């Protein structure tokens, strides 16, 4: 019996109690939940339904709890129900009901953990969005790992998600990038406000190989060639490095397209219609202070140039016009000040900033070796890049390390720790369970032990304390996935795998009474087969959880 199924049993019991006592069933919730008690001695699951209903019907919570306990005790699979405190229901399942979960998980396979919790939501998820003026740095890599994991979680809970990378390929930073490439091609010093690093020389050389005539052009024409070709090369490199990291976007959106298609004029017209645009000092402004911003924002300067904020407005409107109900943007710690102006901008368009726009802020990441932060990239010259991180600890470790912490917490990634083949290394610890469960399945096949047909599975044989503990751990997975998606916190999945499932499996595996494989010439029995179901159910949960984080579940280590 899964927690969701037990919750339905609890609600059905409540309906029966209300009918018997003449209480109004309209006050009953459409659904309820059960939780795993912190103390295993309190039972397998707990319900607070009696406490929730007592005020609505004017009955003492323990009186309602007593009636619910009596009715629940009649339900198949429920071993016992105890009342605790002011009206908590502590529920124990019999071994057969608890053990059924192993079959549910194995038969569900990759679908186990998925739900329809967010069905109907259309979400645009923008993350990374590094300027095409250099490789993806370690801060952007954090969003690559977290953003991709979040997109997987949102889809696993029924949302329709469009992932998006926004290239700022218009504006002054692109001018500085083009000047830097031209200077490198001519063997000149880096411009004072330009970009350095070996990658600039590499791209400049590639542009020259494509356009041999470039250095014979005048400065303006040469710079335009380096702008066009250089941005394209940098764009291709960023996409390639992210693809190698396991991250693909549904849409790669160029800022320049907003300008070329006249979308900034469209956004300005829409904002004028809403009555929030005004002229002052020769410039065009948006009155964002009406919606809590600390100052009004310039959309078009007195010289006629658009501001970055105007492009932000046009880009937001473009997403909404494409049918996305909720726009989620992931930004680095240095962009915290954007929240107020972006929320105000959404309100100026007539949207609800709390419903239509969500901004997530990620804190800094340091790569540490021998206790000291690594400061310089071999190639970029100023920052640690995606390639540096992958070279140091590998893709799986990098993705897991970046996703296992709340994104609003700064983190240090210790190279020595994350490359260690020991339980101290969190990703190794979790992946070891994936490999061990696969190894057990291989060994079982070698001795002729197979799970057999579903109809022959005997869940009541999974009655050992360690088996029950593992079953309860596996039962939590769907709720963990749903909560992680709703709270935008992929780290909940990582922590669940390493702190709940992995240790529970190890305790089960190490318990002599829970041996899966027969010893010597012992005959294969139903108990061996039942525990093989549980072993394979664990493999399913570990694999599904790691997949949500973009991490592999190896069969051998």
């Amino acid at each position: 019996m899964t927690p969701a199924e037990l919750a339905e049993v609890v609600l059905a019991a409540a309906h029966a109690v209300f009918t018997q006592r003449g209480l109004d069933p309209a006050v009953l919730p459409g659904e309820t939940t059960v939780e795993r008690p912190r103390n295993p001695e309190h039972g397998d699951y707990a319900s607070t339904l009696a406490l929730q209903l007592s005020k609505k019907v004017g009955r003492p919570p323990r009186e309602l709890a007593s009636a619910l306990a009596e009715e629940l005790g009649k339900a198949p699979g429920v071993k016992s129900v105890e009342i605790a405190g002011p009206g908590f229901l502590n529920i124990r399942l019999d071994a057969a009901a608890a053990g059924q979960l192993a079959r549910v998980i194995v038969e569900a396979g990759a679908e186990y953990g998925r739900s329809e919790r967010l069905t109907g939501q259309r979400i645009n998820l923008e993350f990374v969005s590094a300027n095409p003026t250099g490789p993806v740095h370690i801060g952007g890599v954090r969003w690559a790992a977290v953003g991709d994991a979040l997109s997987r979680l949102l889809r696993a809970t029924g949302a329709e998600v469009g992932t998006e990378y926004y290239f700022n390929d218009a504006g002054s930073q692109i001018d500085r990038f083009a000047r830097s490439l031209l200077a490198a091609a001519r063997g000149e010093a880096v411009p004072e406000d330009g970009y350095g690093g070996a990658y600039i020389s590499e791209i400049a050389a590639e542009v020259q190989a494509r356009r041999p005539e470039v250095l014979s052009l005048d400065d303006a024409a040469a710079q335009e060639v380096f702008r066009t070709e250089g941005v394209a090369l940098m764009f291709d490199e960023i996409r390639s490095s992210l693809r190698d990291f396991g991250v693909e976007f549904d849409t790669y959106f160029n800022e320049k397209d907003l300008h070329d298609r006249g979308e900034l004029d469209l956004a300005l017209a829409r904002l004028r219609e809403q009555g929030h645009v005004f002229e002052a000092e020769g410039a065009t402004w948006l009155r964002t202070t009406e919606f809590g911003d600390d100052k009004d924002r310039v959309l078009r300067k007195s010289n006629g140039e658009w501001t970055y904020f105007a492009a932000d407005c046009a880009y937001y409107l473009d997403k909404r016009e494409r049918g996305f109900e909720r726009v989620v943007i992931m930004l680095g710690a240095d962009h915290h000040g954007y929240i107020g102006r972006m929320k105000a901008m959404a309100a100026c368009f007539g949207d609800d900033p709390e419903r239509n726009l969500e901004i997530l802020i990620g804190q800094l990441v340091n790569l540490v070796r021998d206790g000291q932060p690594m400061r310089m990239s071999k190639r970029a010259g100023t920052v640690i890049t995606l390639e540096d991180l992958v070279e140091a600890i590998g893709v799986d470790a990098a993705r897991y390390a970046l996703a296992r912490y709340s994104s609003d917490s700064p983190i240090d990634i210790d190279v020595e720790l994350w490359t260690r083949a020991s339980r101290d290394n969190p990703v190794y610890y979790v992946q070891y369970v994936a490999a061990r469960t696969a190894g057990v399945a291989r060994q079982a096949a070698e001795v002729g032990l197979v799970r057999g047909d579903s109809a022959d599975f005997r869940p009541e044989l999974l009655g050992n304390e360690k088996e029950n503990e593992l079953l309860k751990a596996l039962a939590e997975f769907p709720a963990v996935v749903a909560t992680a998606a709703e709270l935008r916190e992929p780290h909940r999945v990582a922590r669940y795998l390493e702190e709940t499932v992995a240790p529970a499996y190890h305790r089960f595996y190490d318990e002599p009474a829970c041996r899966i494989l027969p010893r010597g010439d012992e005959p294969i029995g139903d108990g061996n087969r039942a525990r093989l179901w549980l072993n394979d159910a664990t493999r399913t949960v570990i694999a599904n959880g790691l997949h949500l984080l973009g991490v592999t579940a190896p069969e051998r280590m």
Side-chain angles (χ1 to χ4, degrees), residues 184-186 201 203-215 226:
R186 289 174 171 173
S201 298
I203 293 175
E206 181 65 24
V207 172
Q208 287 179 271
R210 291 185 175 192
R211 301 285 298 273
E213 81 287 0
V214 64
L215 292 185
F226 278 108

Side-chain angles (χ1 to χ4, degrees), residues 242-262:
L242 287 169
R243 188 180 305 115
D244 292 343
F245 196 58
V247 179
E248 290 270 15
F249 290 86
D250 299 319
T251 301
Y252 292 88
F253 195 103
N254 291 358
E255 179 187 350
K256 189 172 180 296
D257 290 342
L258 292 172
H259 294 263
D260 294 345
R261 296 196 297 250

Side-chain angles (χ1 to χ4, degrees), residues 55 84 89 133 159 277 311 342 366 408 448 451 458 551:
K55 287 186 179 180
L89 293 171
T133 55
V277 175
M342 293 295 286
N366 289 313
D408 59 5
R451 292 196 308 263
R458 295 185 58 190
V551 178

